[in-house]
């Protein structure tokens, strides 16, 4: 009898390509946005369907390996050694149902594709600051974007998903699900990749064709005036406005607008839906002389102009926390940590509005009750990359007196399972752990956010 090696059985079971280390195509397949980490997977399955994902999960189980998933690599925080990595980039189907204002997407879709497909219908998705981020990774972590105060988290608008669980089953689960599937419908919307691999996601779009927004960017010398003014002004805004303020150390990159290259600046980000945006923004525009002011009436397709996130791969280090309040002392603490900081960005986002409201069908989104979200990014390059993790940890520690009870999972960065678990209330954390232990008792899934 001819021996059938496990890899042969996998090759027979999947339609997509399978790559081992050293194979042509392996390096391209594992490459993602965050080049500080490069998955060192034992095998990569270029999945083309739910059946491919299920075959990869079954193969991993049969060979005693763990399973990881990657769409874009924006959320990479570790090397995923010796895993079977499911690469979802080929699962790129986007379908729009304009009548019911719904989108259905495959696991590998980025927000940019949904924005483009929805725009001709006067509709928009609840994407985040960068449309290059993947829909599924973002949404399973809640998903907090530039319209969040008006419409809430992306996860609040999910209607259905298909998921492959550790037993290799393909489950189609919608908002009416009960029992174990109902538990999964709650947990996956906010609990990140601890429960399985989502292969398809269906969610509501919102009737937004355009917005009044962009960024007002001031020189770094105005950081104190801008942050203190923003702190007092932001909580007075209506839900139609979503805003954040970011202290940025920008590289001398020729792709940046000339006035910003190689400078420390403070960016005030602003998205307003409906009329009256210019009047609301006027006091902040007057705080100092801006270097740049891009705020205008824009089509929704220009939404990336609000945050101007980098799009090229970079070695990033993220860390964040949530605040219950932003007092003058909190702002001074942030400013003190920004002086000569190795961090590329310290951003504070105003929460509240629809973010704070639970959706009709409850979900596991964390951080809903916080007043502000803090997100730091450092680049692990240059002469002293080791200073970055220490600087972000020091800021988060210094902000502890004003910390909210929970936090936002998408902004956590590298964190211990216990720190991840602490983002939720004791009851929600216990429920998430019970569901994970039921559907994946052997912890088959290796994710960047390990729930403890
Ligand atoms: C430049 C930048 C801007 C960002 N802006 C925002 C923002 O505005 N708001 C916000 O909320 N977040 C934001 N994030 C965080 C981002 O949402 C998370 O990092 C998210 O996990 C990225 O998902 P991905 O699929 O693009 O990345 P990947 O690295 O491919 O995936 C990251 C993780 O997502 C999970 N995941 C991915 N695909 C699946 C799947 N098919 N099934 C189950 N789990 C899956 C897994 O846990 C995986 O480890 C930003 C990140 C970056 C780098």
């Amino acid at each position: 009898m001819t021996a059938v090696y496990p890899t042969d059985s996998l090759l027979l079971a999947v339609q997509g390509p399978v790559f081992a280390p050293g194979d042509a195509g392996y390096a391209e397949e594992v490459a993602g946005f965050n080049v500080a980490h490069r998955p060192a997977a034992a095998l990569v399955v270029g999945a083309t369907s739910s059946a491919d994902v299920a075959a990869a999960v079954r193969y991993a189980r049969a060979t005693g390996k763990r399973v990881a998933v990657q769409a874009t690599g924006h959320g990479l925080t570790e090397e995923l050694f010796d895993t079977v990595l499911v690469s979802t980039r080929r699962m790129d189907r986007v379908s729009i149902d304009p009548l019911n204002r719904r989108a259905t997407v495959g696991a590998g879709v980025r927000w940019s594709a949904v924005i483009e497909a929805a725009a001709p219908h006067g509709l928009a998705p609840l994407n985040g600051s960068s449309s290059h981020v993947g829909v599924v990774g973002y949404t399973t972590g809640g998903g907090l974007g530039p319209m969040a105060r008006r419409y809430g988290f992306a996860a609040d608008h999910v209607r259905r998903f298909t998921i492959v669980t550790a037993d290799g089953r393909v489950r189609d689960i919608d908002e009416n699900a009960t029992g174990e599937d109902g538990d999964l419908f709650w947990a996956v919307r906010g609990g990140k990749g601890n429960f399985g691999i989502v292969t398809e996601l269906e969610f509501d779009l919102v009737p937004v064709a355009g917005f009044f927004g962009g960024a007002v960017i001031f020189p770094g010398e105005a950081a104190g005036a801008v942050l203190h003014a923003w702190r007092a002004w932001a909580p007075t805004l209506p839900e139609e406005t979503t805003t954040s303020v970011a202290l940025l150390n920008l590289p001398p990159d020729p792709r940046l607008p000339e006035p910003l290259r190689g400078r420390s600046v403070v960016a005030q980000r602003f998205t307003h839906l409906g009329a009256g945006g210019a009047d609301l923004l006027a006091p902040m525009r007057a705080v100092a002389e801006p270097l740049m002011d891009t705020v205008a009436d824009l089509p929704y397709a220009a939404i990336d102009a609000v945050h101007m996130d980098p799009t090229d791969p970079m070695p990033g280090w993220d860390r964040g926390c949530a605040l219950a309040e932003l007092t003058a002392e909190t702002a001074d603490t942030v400013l003190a940590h920004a002086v000569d900081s190795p961090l590329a960005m310290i951003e504070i986002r105003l929460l509240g509005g629809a973010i704070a409201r639970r959706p009709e069908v409850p979900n596991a989104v964390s951080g809903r009750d916080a007043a502000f979200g803090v997100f730091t990014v450092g680049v692990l390059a240059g002469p002293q990359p080791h200073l970055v993790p220490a600087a972000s940890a020091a800021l988060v520690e210094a902000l502890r007196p004003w910390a909210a009870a929970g936090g936002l999972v998408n902004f956590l960065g590298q964190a211990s399972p216990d720190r991840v678990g602490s983002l939720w209330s004791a009851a929600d954390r216990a429920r998430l752990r019970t569901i994970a232990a039921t559907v994946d008792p052997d912890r088959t899934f290796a994710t960047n956010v390990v729930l403890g």
Side-chain angles (χ1 to χ4, degrees):
M1 199 171 98
T2 320
V4 176
Y5 293 100
T7 332
D8 296 337
S9 67
L10 178 65
L11 287 168
L12 288 172
V14 297
Q15 303 258 302
V18 175
F19 306 94
D23 284 354
Y26 176 93
E28 289 79 5
E29 202 66 36
V30 299
F33 177 82
N34 192 347
V35 294
H37 308 279
R38 182 161 286 248
L43 274 184
V44 184
V45 177
T48 61
S49 64
S50 299
D52 279 3
V53 176
V57 170
R58 284 195 293 266
Y59 168 79
R61 302 268 307 177
T63 54
K65 296 205 184 308
R66 301 187 77 205
V67 184
V69 56
Q70 176 161 294
T72 73
H74 275 78
L76 259 180
T77 54
E78 54 168 302
E79 274 62 33
L80 305 169
F81 284 112
D82 204 32
T83 51
V84 173
L85 180 67
V86 174
S87 169
T88 59
R89 62 180 68 171
R90 290 166 188 77
M91 299 173 72
D92 58 358
R93 193 178 77 91
V94 177
S95 125
I96 305 291
D97 172 355
L99 219 58
N100 293 306
R101 293 183 183 160
R102 293 263 175 96
T104 304
V105 306
V109 170
R110 294 176 193 258
W111 282 116
S112 49
V114 188
I115 293 170
E116 194 186 320
H121 308 287
L123 299 171
L126 294 172
N127 54 280
S129 60
S130 165
S131 66
H132 293 250
V133 166
V135 173
V136 172
Y138 168 91
T139 305
T140 52
L144 184 79
M147 299 196 286
R149 282 173 41 79
R150 170 67 181 82
Y151 290 110
F153 289 93
D156 299 347
H157 297 259
V158 170
R159 296 283 185 165
R160 184 190 64 81
F161 54 75
T162 306
I163 189 168
V164 176
T165 42
D167 51 9
R169 273 170 63 196
V170 179
R171 307 187 194 200
D172 206 31
I173 302 180
D174 70 15
E175 57 197 320
N176 302 311
T178 55
E180 192 174 284
D181 282 358
D183 281 341
L184 277 171
F185 193 69
W186 176 79
V188 168
R189 293 174 305 138
K192 209 89 190 187
N194 287 286
F195 309 93
I197 296 182
V198 173
T199 55
E200 188 172 89
L201 194 65
E202 184 177 336
F203 51 89
D204 287 337
L205 300 166
V206 296
V208 173
F211 64 101
F212 177 77
V216 188
I217 303 178
F218 302 95
E221 299 77 56
V226 173
L227 185 52
H228 279 286
W230 186 86
R231 179 187 80 70
W233 164 83
T236 68
L237 295 168
E239 288 183 15
E240 286 71 24
T241 308
T242 300
T243 181
S244 71
V245 64
L247 308 177
L248 297 158
N249 287 319
L250 297 171
D253 187 333
R255 285 164 302 183
L256 286 171
E258 199 279 325
L260 307 184
R261 281 177 215 160
R263 288 192 72 150
S264 293
V265 301
V266 51
Q268 200 246 301
R269 290 142 173 193
F270 186 84
T271 313
H272 181 78
L273 301 172
D279 290 342
L280 289 166
L281 183 62
M284 280 308 296
R285 275 179 154 156
V287 169
E289 187 63 38
L291 294 168
M292 253 177 81
D293 183 340
T294 69
V295 178
D297 281 311
L298 295 171
Y300 193 75
I303 194 70
D304 281 356
V306 176
H307 286 254
M308 295 191 289
D309 281 347
T311 52
D312 287 344
M314 55 176 252
W317 178 272
D318 309 343
R319 185 94 191 235
C321 63
L323 302 177
E325 56 177 349
L326 182 57
T327 67
E329 207 187 329
T330 329
D332 284 337
T333 303
V334 172
L335 290 164
H337 280 258
V339 175
D340 295 328
S341 172
L343 298 177
M345 179 178 84
I346 303 172
E347 185 190 33
I348 307 176
R349 295 190 186 194
L350 175 69
L351 306 182
I355 295 165
R357 286 196 287 274
R358 268 118 188 102
E360 223 170 276
V361 182
N363 61 25
V365 168
S366 65
R368 211 180 269 288
D369 301 328
F372 297 90
V374 179
F375 185 41
T376 72
V377 179
V379 181
L380 298 177
Q384 293 181 304
H386 62 280
L387 296 179
V388 167
S392 52
L395 174 61
V396 169
E397 184 55 34
L399 293 175
R400 199 185 277 270
W402 304 281
L408 299 156
V409 70
N410 274 353
F411 296 102
L412 192 60
Q414 211 142 22
S416 67
D418 190 53
R419 171 95 182 88
V420 173
S422 74
L423 298 180
W424 285 271
S425 68
D428 282 355
R429 181 180 188 173
R431 186 174 176 199
L432 283 168
R433 288 174 59 134
T434 304
I435 296 168
T438 307
V439 295
D440 186 12
D442 302 323
R443 293 204 169 220
T444 306
F445 295 104
T447 150
N448 61 341
V449 176
V450 181
L451 186 66

